[in-house]
Amino acid sequence: MSIFGKKPVLVPASVKVSLKDGEIFVEGPKGKMQLSLPAGVTCEQKDGSLVFAIAKDTKPLRSLQGTMRSLTVNMIAGVNVGFSKTLLIEGVGYKAAVQGKNLRLNVGFSHPVDFPVPEGIKIDAAKQVEIVISGVDKAKVGKAAAEIRDVCPPEPYKGKGIRYSDERIRRKVGKAVTK
């Protein structure tokens, strides 16, 4: 059996979890989420925690047991506290602004780039060079941040572009002048 998959998932008092027909429903102060369990993986609620079990001890089911446990932990954390990612914009004239349901990026192209805000995600660009993406679903927050970063990834010579706040850009030296 998977060591990680067998660990019980503690449910905080502010989160309500219900199990029904192979699905896990999680509700908390930030929102609601649900997860369908694959065949062969079951979940039981015991003493304020969730315990995952598998029908047969096979490699694919052990992997699924750990995956379902991790996804459930992320759902509980998401509806309780939420997830957020911060992107920084570097470059002369580079800026971002939220306009309605779009994020408008001016990042050195001949035209501004409009990024539609996905459902369930909140994007805040209070500072023109800082974008904060927040939401309940960790995967959606990460995907939205990656898509925004892909509009203009940071380049290694001057460091211009969109990067994560905790990302370090390895800088390269420019051309060397020879005499």
Side-chain angles (χ1 to χ4, degrees):
M1 294 274 273
S2 168
I3 294 171
F4 184 71
K6 289 191 293 185
K7 283 185 178 179
V9 177
L10 298 175
V11 180
S14 60
V15 176
K16 180 184 163 196
V17 177
S18 58
L19 306 168
K20 184 179 178 186
D21 298 331
E23 289 196 7
I24 301 172
F25 297 94
V26 180
E27 187 175 344
K30 297 268 185 183
K32 300 178 188 177
M33 291 185 76
Q34 75 178 40
L35 174 70
S36 297
L37 292 173
V41 179
T42 59
C43 182
E44 295 177 5
Q45 205 165 5
K46 294 180 182 175
D47 302 328
S49 64
L50 299 173
V51 179
F52 290 88
I54 52 176
K56 289 186 268 181
D57 191 23
T58 62
K59 175 73 173 144
L61 282 180
R62 285 194 307 262
S63 301
L64 279 175
Q65 179 186 20
T67 301
M68 291 300 117
R69 183 193 179 281
S70 293
L71 291 174
T72 306
V73 167
N74 287 340
M75 283 182 6
I76 290 171
V79 298
N80 195 20
V81 183
F83 294 102
S84 69
K85 291 233 181 216
T86 305
L87 297 172
L88 299 176
I89 302 174
E90 288 186 25
V92 177
Y94 286 22
K95 60 184 176 180
V98 177
Q99 295 179 344
K101 296 218 179 242
N102 289 329
L103 174 70
R104 177 157 281 195
L105 299 166
N106 293 320
V107 286
F109 299 129
S110 61
H111 58 283
V113 177
D114 286 334
F115 178 79
V117 178
E119 190 69 31
I121 298 294
K122 182 179 176 248
I123 295 181
D124 182 33
K127 299 178 186 174
Q128 291 183 345
V129 294
E130 183 177 270
I131 304 167
V132 178
I133 303 147
S134 58
V136 177
D137 192 350
K138 186 175 186 177
K140 282 185 180 179
V141 169
K143 184 177 182 203
E147 287 175 354
I148 292 171
R149 184 186 180 277
D150 284 345
V151 170
C152 184
E155 54 97 17
Y157 294 101
K158 293 183 181 176
K160 296 178 1 178
I162 303 172
R163 65 178 176 90
Y164 295 110
S165 61
D166 57 352
E167 181 180 12
R168 268 192 75 229
I169 307 300
R170 289 188 57 192
R171 303 294 290 268
K172 292 183 180 179
V173 253
K175 287 185 178 179
V177 179
T178 58
K179 292 186 179 182

